[in-house]
């Protein structure tokens, strides 16, 4: 098996974990020496990300890395999240055959949730 798991450097791992939990991620594991969280693994379905300390805050429009998460019910997920988080681009059908939307996390990273149009019966 091969899998890519992004490791994202953030300014505050605990705050970032709390934010991701609020949109449906589950904590897989953490490291908290002395009570300070310096690393975490989070899952969303079968997708995983890791967070580690040492990142910087950013006011830039976009960061160096975006996350793209494939989901099987993008419309339902958008309805659940749209009033609680910063939506950068609302639901739309793309030229490359997906229906997706883009949000921005508390650190300025963009997260796209997408579903192949064929899965939706389109």
């Amino acid at each position: 098996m091969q899998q890519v798991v992004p490791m994202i450097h953030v300014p505050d791992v605990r705050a970032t974990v709390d934010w991701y939990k609020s949109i449906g991620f589950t904590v897989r594991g953490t490291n908290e020496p002395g009570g300070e969280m310096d690393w975490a693994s989070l899952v969303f379905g079968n997708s995983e990300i890791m967070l580690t300390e040492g990142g910087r805050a950013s006011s830039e429009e976009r960061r160096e890395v975006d996350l793209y998460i494939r989901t099987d019910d993008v419309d339902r997920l958008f309805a659940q999240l749209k009033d609680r988080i910063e939506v950068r681009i609302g639901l739309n059908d793309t030229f490359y055959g997906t229906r997706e939307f883009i949000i921005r996390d508390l650190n300025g990273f963009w997260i796209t949730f997408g579903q192949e149009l064929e899965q939706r019966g389109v």
Side-chain angles (χ1 to χ4, degrees), residues 19-43:
W19 189 90
Y20 276 82
K21 283 172 41 181
S22 79
I23 65 163
F25 280 74
T26 303
V27 176
R28 182 173 179 198
T30 63
N31 187 56
E32 302 183 49
E36 293 294 320
M37 189 181 298
D38 65 2
W39 175 89
S41 171
L42 300 152
V43 294

Side-chain angles (χ1 to χ4, degrees), residues 96-99 115-122:
Y96 44 88
T98 64
R99 182 164 175 79
Q115 178 179 8
E116 291 184 27
L117 288 171
E118 295 170 3
Q119 290 179 335
R120 297 182 68 244
V122 176

Side-chain angles (χ1 to χ4, degrees), residues 74-121:
V74 72
D75 292 283
R76 178 188 54 78
L77 187 58
F78 181 73
Q80 289 174 344
L81 297 178
K82 67 182 174 75
D83 296 325
R84 300 184 348 206
I85 44 85
E86 180 183 351
V87 175
R88 299 300 297 156
I89 298 175
L91 275 173
N92 67 96
D93 295 342
T94 69
F95 71 89
Y96 44 88
T98 64
R99 182 164 175 79
E100 60 188 39
F101 66 96
I102 301 172
I103 65 174
R104 185 176 169 140
D105 82 359
L106 74 163
N107 298 302
F109 291 102
W110 286 21
I111 307 164
T112 302
F113 291 95
Q115 178 179 8
E116 291 184 27
L117 288 171
E118 295 170 3
Q119 290 179 335
R120 297 182 68 244

Side-chain angles (χ1 to χ4, degrees), residues 9-12 54-60 63 104 106-109:
H9 296 263
V10 298
D12 184 333
R56 61 176 171 71
S58 175
S59 60
E60 297 293 324
R63 301 295 303 260
R104 185 176 169 140
L106 74 163
N107 298 302
F109 291 102

